[in-house]
Amino acid sequence: MQIARDVTEGSFLLRMIGREQVWLENYKSLLTYTDRQIIVSAKKLKIEISGCNMRIDYYGTVEMKIEGLIEDIHFIE
């Protein structure tokens, strides 16, 4: 039986649906939140999501749903 890496290593999981939605799982904390940029920290890096009319539609302890016109995603070590 194979167990997913996000479970065994604590890695983040990012799913993008079109250019309008991002689901992020296993993040640590929210660092920046504006209508142009959202930055979250994960176990080993930071994830920067930028675009227009960005908003967090759902925010829980394990997952987050981001909506807006997503223009760019950067991974910062």
Side-chain angles (χ1 to χ4, degrees), residues 5-23:
R5 286 180 57 188
D6 61 309
V7 174
T8 60
E9 297 176 14
S11 298
F12 69 90
L13 177 64
L14 187 141
R15 288 182 296 158
M16 192 167 177
I17 303 170
R19 289 185 62 197
E20 292 82 31
Q21 285 185 2
V22 169
W23 280 92

Side-chain angles (χ1 to χ4, degrees), residues 20-73:
E20 292 82 31
Q21 285 185 2
V22 169
W23 280 92
L24 184 60
E25 297 179 35
N26 298 336
Y27 64 92
K28 290 180 109 179
S29 65
L30 178 64
L31 302 174
T32 301
Y33 179 32
T34 70
D35 66 340
R36 298 280 306 152
Q37 180 185 61
I38 296 171
I39 301 175
V40 297
S41 65
K43 185 175 182 178
K44 298 180 182 178
L45 50 80
K46 294 176 186 166
I47 304 160
E48 176 186 1
I49 303 167
S50 56
C52 297
N53 301 318
M54 305 289 292
R55 65 184 171 87
I56 296 174
D57 187 54
Y58 173 79
Y59 180 78
T61 58
V62 177
E63 65 183 5
M64 175 186 307
K65 178 183 176 187
I66 299 169
E67 293 189 339
L69 180 59
I70 299 156
E71 297 172 346
D72 204 10
I73 298 176

